[in-house]
Amino acid sequence: MQHAAKEVNWACQQALGSASSYCRYAYSQKDWWENVPSYEGWTTTRTTASEGPGKIPPKRAAVAPPTNSRKNLYAKSTEVSLRLLGGNMFQNLGSPKGSNSYGDRVLVVVRNMSSEGGQPKTIKKEDIAAISGLTRLKVIADGENDTVQNVYQIVYDVEVLKTSYNKLKSRPSSMTPGIDGNDLNTLGINEKYFNELSNKLRTEQYRPTPVKRVLIPKPENKTRPLGIPSIEDRIVQQSLLYLLEAVFEKTFSEKSHGFRPKRGAHTACKNIRQWRGVSWFIEGDIVSYFDRINHKKLMELVSKRIQEQQVIDLLWKFLRAGVVTDGKYKRTTMGVPQGAVISPILSNIYLHELDLYVETLRKKFDTKKTSEPNPAYRKAKSLLRSKKGKEKKEGYKQLRKLKSTIRVGMRLYYVRYADDWLIGIWGKREDAVKVKNKIENFLKEKLELEMSLEKTKITHAGKKKAFFLGYDIYSPTPKELFFEKGKTSKVKKRASHVSIYIDAPYHRIKERMIEEKILEVKNGKWLINAVTHWINYNHAEILYRYNWIIRGYLNYYSHVNNLYIFHKIINLILLHSCALTLGRKLKLRSRKKVFRQFGKTLKDPKSNLTLSIPSNYQSNTKDYKIDHKKDPLKVLKWSVRTQHLLEGTCVGCGATTNIEIHHVKKLANIKRDKGGIQRIMATLGRKQVPVCAKCHKDIHTGKYDKENSPRKKSK
């Protein structure tokens, strides 16, 4: 019996995902366990924190469900354990306000799948709060509940905060301080820090700092405000982001692709390629969207699914934290700061209402019948029967100018990326104008947003190209003919079944290269230029930077129809620009001398690094870089490596107490020949290393790196 109980306990742990780290099963009162009811077709088991997994007190032994193997038991318990946690009783899993996040007891119920028993009659789950935050996030994401409660403890869960730090620590922006002047090093990232931060959030004493606002340049001499929150605010916001993604991601529209897990510009293009027969495009844009979001309406939308005031209050604190520009504080009454971790998902929650509205328009305007016979064509064809000779030949010539069928009805296609959206219309221009006006009124009346009249355009799909997400998008008209390569020869074919063409904008790419100083215009001519501000880098670093540009273009435009244009861009512009840059660095007077010395690929003799020039430029419209499948919680994979860093030993002196994490912005800044901590980090190949508090202080005061070799372990 005890062995069977251990089998059930092992299955429960596997079903909930590594119970030793994610779940804590305990009981504190024997009477409570004695009063647990038994259910038809269900078995129960428990463990204690003191006795460890599998230790069953003799008073109540668990009865294992009939099974022949551990594998079958795991399969039976996994589904129902998660189903139980994600069902209607999920709201009871949270702890009361101000209580311990982990609680002291929990009952794990495993259903015997071989029996046909239904839901349990009664379940007493008062004060159950032993499920960790990461496990509960997955339960929420997999559940089907419209609303959630008692989820605030997820935000201040220590493991969730550590996961948030692990997500942010490697980003270059993580070393950019906010208004408080702290970065990851000055915060002193250790176990004590996470416990204190969790306690501040639990007791609602946490207060976000104002956002530091900077202006970044945009085309046409415009600027965009960018907010830089403090490092601590970013960690808390990342925890909030995990919760918001778990709750809202499954409700978002399939037509929304911006700032969502496993979605992006490629998935949006994949959606657009499925459109058929589009005759008009509506290019949509909203004026200063992130700065005009109504806080009250946003919180109303969040409250529909998260019914817990503590979460709402924390969101209000971030929204009303204010901004500091040039040392002057300004209170924020509307909008979300661009650059904040939670801003993208809050913007998606707000514009989800637009997605729902466009879906109602689609159902209203879409018609089953899309075409019908053209009466003029049928009349002209019937008159040809009585004609002969030249009259009949001329009549057929006129007949070919007419369409055999005419379009009737309407179809609507839609895709959105953040505040930019594109609508495809099968129908007349009047239909496109009607849809545009309806969306404009909806944004103004319901969301208090203004459509940009300058950027919102109605474009003929066959005559002009719509510009969306850096792509030129158009649809050939049925009248257009093109040559298609057959089995034996080239043949003419009508383009009536061609859906959407997506091209890389050649002229826009050249304009971008002018900004990067790769090209310049003199006397109306395009001239290839050397990037003079890269001359101080070594040969390999220059090649690396050009390869970075090449990979970026080829990855982003890998699926376009005119990928062949990159043969000219890479083989002509970037190759010769790189040769000019190396020639300027090495004081070689001509590109010919550079190619003669380093070859066609400009190979670096020391590192053997070459310029990455593809052998072919074939478009791949099937293999997109981002999978469109919903899997938002892939980011919640807990990194054991980071956990080991906090629980490890100091790389400097070998101490095992008061461990903190030392950070650098990027590995390129580490110089091996200087010795000290830099040599250690270069040897390990890590931007973060565990150090004790004393060594960490010595590193930042310069004492540690005075020696030419790493400090030996203290005795």
Side-chain angles (χ1 to χ4, degrees), residues 261-385:
K262 300 298 178 180
R263 288 174 174 265
H266 280 204
T267 57
C269 292
K270 190 174 183 179
N271 192 335
I272 293 173
R273 286 191 182 275
Q274 299 173 0
W275 299 359
R276 294 292 184 272
V278 174
S279 52
W280 298 93
F281 288 122
I282 306 176
E283 306 171 54
D285 187 77
I286 301 173
V287 178
S288 302
Y289 169 62
F290 285 88
D291 298 330
R292 298 193 178 193
I293 294 178
N294 186 290
H295 289 173
K296 186 177 179 181
K297 289 184 178 293
L298 175 62
M299 289 297 100
E300 289 177 355
L301 296 174
V302 175
S303 302
K304 287 181 180 180
R305 294 191 54 84
I306 302 180
Q307 298 181 352
E308 186 168 9
Q309 191 60 39
Q310 291 167 290
V311 178
I312 304 300
D313 290 343
L314 184 59
L315 285 172
W316 270 114
K317 290 178 182 178
F318 281 115
L319 292 175
R320 297 296 177 92
V323 297
V324 175
T325 308
D326 297 331
K328 296 182 180 179
Y329 173 81
K330 182 181 179 181
R331 189 186 176 198
T332 51
T333 58
M334 61 188 306
V336 293
Q338 297 186 59
V341 177
I342 58 173
S343 293
I345 192 168
L346 292 179
S347 66
N348 276 332
I349 293 172
Y350 202 72
L351 280 186
H352 178 62
E353 301 300 306
L354 175 63
D355 301 339
L356 297 176
Y357 178 71
V358 175
E359 181 64 20
T360 60
L361 289 180
R362 187 192 65 79
K363 293 179 180 180
K364 180 180 179 181
F365 286 109
D366 280 12
T367 56
K368 294 182 179 180
K369 190 177 182 181
T370 57
S371 63
E372 62 182 16
N374 187 0
Y377 180 87
R378 300 180 69 177
K379 185 178 180 180
K381 190 175 181 180
S382 63
L383 293 174
L384 288 175
R385 297 174 183 175

Side-chain angles (χ1 to χ4, degrees), residues 645-660:
L645 289 179
L646 292 171
E647 298 176 356
T649 59
C650 175
V651 296
C653 64
T656 58
T657 59
N658 298 325
I659 299 299
E660 299 178 354

Side-chain angles (χ1 to χ4, degrees), residues 251-262:
T251 67
F252 287 156
S253 171
E254 292 289 330
K255 310 301 181 183
S256 171
H257 298 268
F259 305 117
R260 294 182 60 187
K262 300 298 178 180

Side-chain angles (χ1 to χ4, degrees), residues 10-54:
W10 177 89
C12 294
Q13 294 181 3
Q14 295 296 320
L16 295 173
S18 184
S20 60
S21 59
Y22 288 161
C23 307
R24 304 185 184 190
Y25 311 98
Y27 79 101
S28 61
Q29 300 178 4
K30 293 182 179 180
D31 295 338
W32 177 79
W33 178 262
E34 297 290 342
N35 295 327
V36 172
S38 59
Y39 316 111
E40 182 181 357
W42 294 71
T43 59
T44 58
T45 185
R46 60 164 179 169
T47 64
T48 66
S50 58
E51 295 172 343

